[in-house]
Amino acid sequence: MQTQKVIDHIVAWLKDYAVKANVKGYVIGVSGGVDSGVVSTLAAMTGLKTLLIEMPIRQKPDQVNRAWEHMNDLKSKFPNVEAMSVNLTPAFEELYRTFDVKDDLYPNEKLAFANTRARLRMLTLYYYGQINSLLVCGTGNKVEDFGIGFYTKYGDGGVDVSPIADLYKTEVYTLARALNLVKNIQEAIPTDGLWDVDRTDEQQIGATYPELEKIQKEYGTKTADDYEGRDKEVFLIFDRMHKAAKHKINPIPVCNIPEEWKND
């Protein structure tokens, strides 16, 4: 990958989009992971106002510390960067008390609450984005957004722009090294941070990002019969998740009404 060209291209794209949209810049949710670390740095490089928000919800201290280490590093390098923390735990706890049902009757409740965390963060980003005249900048990569749909619909998938959605996770790590992000961000183990227990992305998915990338690059040209061993296992994981995520990846279906019925 021609790393510097990719960096310059994304920065120029972000700046041009914001200028044409007549906004002051971008707001980004910073989780302490490599994706938000790279995106927030690229946004800062535009010279436009860049608001970084850390939004803990029952968050592990190491994730909070990593996010602030990165945000403080960016603030020291870019005068256009502002950073803040919005503690969403009290709001989530109130929703938890309001929504809580019997787990034995609703086995998907834990997943629903995990997605509720992401949607609460989306609401927060749009609130602070609107009052500051900023667009919400997404942090999803190509595998998450268009491969297995590993994001929350109307949660972290609810954004205005997606600057790294055409890059695989391994390419995002390449940008992180080139941008000289703090070491803890570069070495962060991918996790969505939506669960009360430590669950890495690999543990949830059952495959690593490099394994998934290999399949995604070949998906549509090969079937399960073309693979064996571990590659076949990962293909089946990717295929199952990709098909299940069609409602996220494809545009919202619209029921088209024949014009003659509407003009009667």
Side-chain angles (χ1 to χ4, degrees):
M1 183 171 68
Q2 299 181 55
T3 308
Q4 192 57 51
K5 285 188 176 181
V6 171
I7 290 172
D8 293 342
H9 178 74
I10 295 175
V11 171
W13 182 85
L14 283 170
K15 186 171 184 177
D16 182 65
Y17 194 95
V19 170
K20 288 180 178 177
N22 195 31
V23 297
K24 295 179 180 178
Y26 294 98
V27 58
I28 302 106
V30 176
S31 64
V34 69
D35 292 327
S36 65
V38 166
V39 169
S40 55
T41 303
L42 295 171
M45 292 171 67
T46 64
L48 302 174
K49 181 173 180 176
T50 302
L51 177 59
L52 313 181
I53 306 182
E54 186 255 339
M55 298 171 284
I57 302 176
R58 297 180 178 178
Q59 224 64 40
K60 302 296 184 294
D62 64 310
Q63 295 174 3
V64 174
N65 294 340
R66 201 163 57 233
W68 270 104
E69 182 183 2
H70 168 69
M71 293 193 295
N72 285 330
D73 182 63
L74 279 191
K75 284 174 61 181
S76 71
K77 295 175 180 177
F78 299 95
N80 55 308
V81 170
E82 298 177 19
M84 63 184 294
S85 179
V86 180
N87 183 11
L88 296 177
T89 299
F92 177 75
E93 298 296 358
E94 187 61 35
L95 287 173
Y96 189 90
R97 286 189 292 271
T98 302
F99 293 163
D100 193 25
V101 294
K102 293 183 179 180
D103 292 355
D104 55 339
L105 296 178
Y106 299 93
N108 285 330
E109 186 191 27
K110 285 185 173 59
L111 177 58
F113 272 131
N115 287 326
T116 297
R117 296 191 195 199
R119 290 174 179 133
L120 186 54
R121 290 182 174 127
M122 179 275 294
L123 180 152
T124 304
L125 290 173
Y126 271 95
Y127 171 80
Y128 283 99
Q130 188 162 20
I131 66 174
N132 287 284
S133 189
L134 305 171
L135 293 177
V136 176
C137 196
T139 61
N141 59 65
K142 194 168 188 174
V143 175
E144 294 170 342
D145 283 8
F146 302 111
I148 58 174
F150 195 63
Y151 63 90
T152 298
K153 193 174 186 179
Y154 306 120
D156 48 331
V159 300
D160 293 316
V161 295
S162 294
I164 62 169
D166 195 36
L167 294 174
Y168 288 107
K169 189 80 166 187
T170 52
E171 294 172 328
V172 176
Y173 274 107
T174 298
L175 291 192
R177 291 190 293 271
L179 293 167
N180 195 30
L181 269 58
V182 295
K183 189 175 181 181
N184 282 335
I185 295 291
Q186 292 190 43
E187 298 177 351
I189 298 173
T191 177
D192 59 16
L194 298 179
W195 304 86
D196 289 335
V197 295
D198 286 324
R199 299 180 63 183
T200 67
D201 290 357
E202 182 179 348
Q203 288 171 331
Q204 292 189 65
I205 298 167
T208 66
Y209 280 101
E211 288 176 327
L212 293 165
E213 290 173 17
K214 178 181 186 298
I215 300 302
Q216 186 169 349
K217 291 174 182 178
E218 300 171 345
Y219 195 69
T221 64
K222 292 184 178 182
T223 67
D225 294 335
D226 295 311
Y227 297 98
E228 59 183 21
R230 178 58 179 167
D231 284 346
K232 187 167 187 175
E233 292 177 4
V234 177
F235 175 87
L236 293 175
I237 291 171
F238 184 95
D239 185 59
R240 172 180 55 80
M241 295 187 71
H242 180 76
K243 289 176 179 176
K246 285 290 188 180
H247 69 99
K248 301 181 186 180
I249 298 169
N250 294 337
I252 297 172
V254 174
C255 179
N256 293 313
I257 309 300
E259 285 299 320
E260 60 268 24
W261 295 359
K262 296 187 287 185
N263 297 323
D264 187 14

